[in-house]
Amino acid sequence: MTTISFGDFITATEPVKSLTHGFRRQMGRNHHGKITTRHKGGGAKRLFREIDFKYDKIDVPYTIKTVEYDPNRSGFIGLAQYQDGAKRYVLLPKGVKVGEKLITSPNAEQKVGNRLQLVNITIGTFVYNVEVKPLGGAKIARSAGNYVEVIAKDAGYVDIKMPSSKIKKIKDTAWASIGDVSNPENRLVN
């Protein structure tokens, strides 16, 4: 059996209460509580963390306060404290540490963790948290160690190479974060 030593990465054990809520897993039961799909257990009880995939605070810098484990996803999450005082959970890229300052801006520096529009990202850059529609929220490349590559720009569209090596066209006004998702060792767990 191989595992990941989370102690090397995680800096907080308890989530921020205002950014969590409970949710009930279906466990193979219908609305009457009758088992409709056999052999599906309830699993461990777990809180749902509200992750910000919209990143709607543009041009407001934020600092990563903690790196946390999320039982609902394979990558690590971080508590982002914005300059205006707001707190949100964000999906962290590989290599980002506590105390780093990041920003979502169309003219931000191309640094790991910063979020830019695809039109402003240079060709050959690895990105994650990519939107399919502009301002629709991140949908592509969100699991541990995952990324897509910007390979071409043409006539208001950007071509990205998916992890499956399929090429996908996306409007160049859609947003993406620089880097690849944290916890790349997740695929090595047996």
Side-chain angles (χ1 to χ4, degrees), residues 8-144:
D8 303 342
F9 308 104
I10 305 301
T11 62
T13 53
E14 291 295 314
V16 177
K17 198 168 183 183
S18 62
L19 296 174
T20 60
H21 59 83
F23 74 106
R24 194 169 167 277
R25 297 188 62 203
Q26 290 305 309
M27 307 166 289
R29 294 169 186 269
N30 67 7
H31 62 286
H32 296 297
K34 292 241 196 258
I35 294 173
T36 55
T37 307
R38 300 186 320 154
H39 313 299
K40 277 191 144 188
K45 193 173 183 180
R46 55 196 192 191
L47 282 175
F48 186 77
R49 279 90 168 151
E50 293 170 14
I51 311 293
D52 180 21
F53 288 117
K54 290 245 187 226
Y55 291 89
D56 51 5
K57 283 189 174 286
I58 294 170
D59 290 320
V60 181
Y62 60 90
T63 308
I64 302 299
K65 292 292 181 187
T66 62
V67 176
E68 298 179 25
Y69 169 76
D70 187 355
N72 304 301
R73 65 197 74 251
S74 53
F76 296 131
I77 59 172
L79 181 64
Q81 173 136 26
Y82 286 86
Q83 240 176 15
D84 61 6
K87 288 182 180 179
R88 294 183 180 179
Y89 276 125
V90 294
L91 191 60
L92 288 181
K94 187 170 66 181
V96 168
K97 304 261 186 293
V98 172
E100 257 186 78
K101 293 194 183 313
L102 303 171
I103 191 167
T104 299
S105 172
N107 47 12
E109 177 194 347
Q110 285 200 24
K111 173 182 113 173
V112 171
N114 280 352
R115 192 161 173 82
L116 299 92
Q117 287 179 314
L118 284 169
V119 70
N120 299 329
I121 297 175
T122 55
I123 292 171
T125 307
F126 290 156
V127 293
Y128 73 102
N129 256 355
V130 183
E131 293 179 332
V132 176
K133 292 182 183 150
L135 303 176
K139 302 274 193 280
I140 300 173
R142 296 186 344 187
S143 65

Side-chain angles (χ1 to χ4, degrees), residues 138-155:
K139 302 274 193 280
I140 300 173
R142 296 186 344 187
S143 65
N146 218 334
Y147 60 86
V148 297
E149 186 180 358
V150 177
I151 57 168
K153 297 178 186 179
D154 181 44

